[in-house]
Amino acid sequence: MRVLVADDQDLFRGGFAMILNAHEDISVVGEAADGAEAIAKAVELAPDLVLMDIRMPNVDGVAATAEICRRTSAKVLVLTMYDVDDHVYDALRAGASGFLLKDVRRDDLVRAVRLVAAGESLLAPSVTRRLIEDVVRRGSPRPALRRRLAELTDRELDTLRGLARGRSNSEIAAELVVSEHTVKTHVSNVLTKLHLRDRAQAVVFAYESGLVVAGTD
């Protein structure tokens, strides 16, 4: 797994790189001290994942995330000092697959990198709650997104609802009374049909399209 670490603080950047390089299945192929350098190195080095500080000089982590997701296939895992950072939600909308607090334990950092690189998402309840609040504030779903739901089968819609509510594949399988393998197929179909990068983007889509309504179970 090829990882690019982007953080304007040398101590954090070097520490994260050291922790990740200690594992045989992970290789830090580059480091960046700001968003502009992160974009350039992501294009040049083609990492599988970018560990991205959300607040950096020149080009910030949100803008860098959007550009990296547009120009490469790399997953982006953003780093923040605060779990209520307004920029976290902006980064998810820009294409990030999840976020971590910068004081994360080393084992959790490694686990998170592996999960996101494998296509999973990392969404804290506070971020999901902020997503719901933003949808409520806007008042109505986005019609263009709503129309795209017609491309999904009933089972795929049920799967998308489960993703939006934070269910794991096994939990969705139990609710739908199907195998976990079948759920994985449904998830893959949802992402492909809706042109989404990963489960994190599926959560955003489900709320913004109105498939899942804030305040309902």
Side-chain angles (χ1 to χ4, degrees), residues 121-139:
S121 62
L122 287 175
L123 292 179
S126 60
V127 175
T128 303
R129 184 165 57 250
R130 179 168 176 78
L131 170 63
I132 295 170
E133 290 170 351
D134 186 74
V135 172
V136 171
R137 185 165 55 250
R138 286 203 309 269

Side-chain angles (χ1 to χ4, degrees), residues 77-91:
L77 179 58
V78 297
L79 296 163
T80 178
M81 292 294 292
Y82 313 103
D83 63 354
V84 292
D85 192 330
D86 289 348
H87 294 303
V88 169
Y89 177 49
D90 295 333

Side-chain angles (χ1 to χ4, degrees), residues 32-217:
D34 60 38
E37 187 179 9
I39 295 167
K41 288 196 172 181
V43 172
E44 174 191 355
L45 301 173
D48 300 303
L49 180 141
V50 179
L51 192 61
M52 175 82 72
D53 184 14
I54 207 164
R55 294 177 180 267
M56 291 188 291
N58 299 325
V59 177
D60 66 23
V62 175
T65 294
E67 190 66 10
I68 288 171
C69 289
R70 185 182 70 84
R71 298 176 62 181
T72 78
S73 61
K75 306 287 187 182
V76 177
L77 179 58
V78 297
L79 296 163
T80 178
M81 292 294 292
Y82 313 103
D83 63 354
V84 292
D85 192 330
D86 289 348
H87 294 303
V88 169
Y89 177 49
D90 295 333
L92 289 173
R93 294 188 61 138
S97 298
F99 86 100
L100 286 174
L101 294 178
K102 294 183 80 169
D103 62 357
V104 62
R105 295 176 53 173
R106 62 178 61 204
D107 289 346
D108 291 335
L109 170 66
V110 174
R111 174 180 172 274
V113 165
R114 287 173 174 154
L115 279 174
V116 170
E120 298 292 330
S121 62
L122 287 175
L123 292 179
S126 60
V127 175
T128 303
R129 184 165 57 250
R130 179 168 176 78
L131 170 63
I132 295 170
E133 290 170 351
D134 186 74
V135 172
V136 171
R137 185 165 55 250
R138 286 203 309 269
S140 61
R142 295 165 59 182
L145 297 184
R146 186 73 183 181
R147 288 192 292 271
R148 287 169 59 187
L149 292 174
E151 301 176 31
L152 304 181
T153 66
D154 289 344
R155 278 304 198 193
E156 289 164 356
L157 287 170
D158 289 338
T159 299
L160 180 53
R161 290 187 185 97
L163 294 177
R165 289 165 177 149
R167 308 286 199 265
S168 66
N169 284 352
S170 60
E171 290 170 336
I172 295 172
E175 289 179 354
L176 301 184
V177 196
V178 297
S179 70
E180 192 169 342
H181 175 75
T182 297
V183 171
K184 290 180 180 179
T185 299
H186 289 331
V187 171
S188 177
N189 290 342
V190 167
L191 299 181
T192 299
K193 290 181 179 181
L194 298 180
H195 307 289
L196 304 173
R197 293 172 63 88
D198 51 38
R199 296 166 76 103
Q201 302 308 300
V203 172
V204 174
F205 187 97
Y207 281 104
E208 294 194 331
S209 67
L211 177 66
V212 176
V213 179
T216 63
D217 183 12

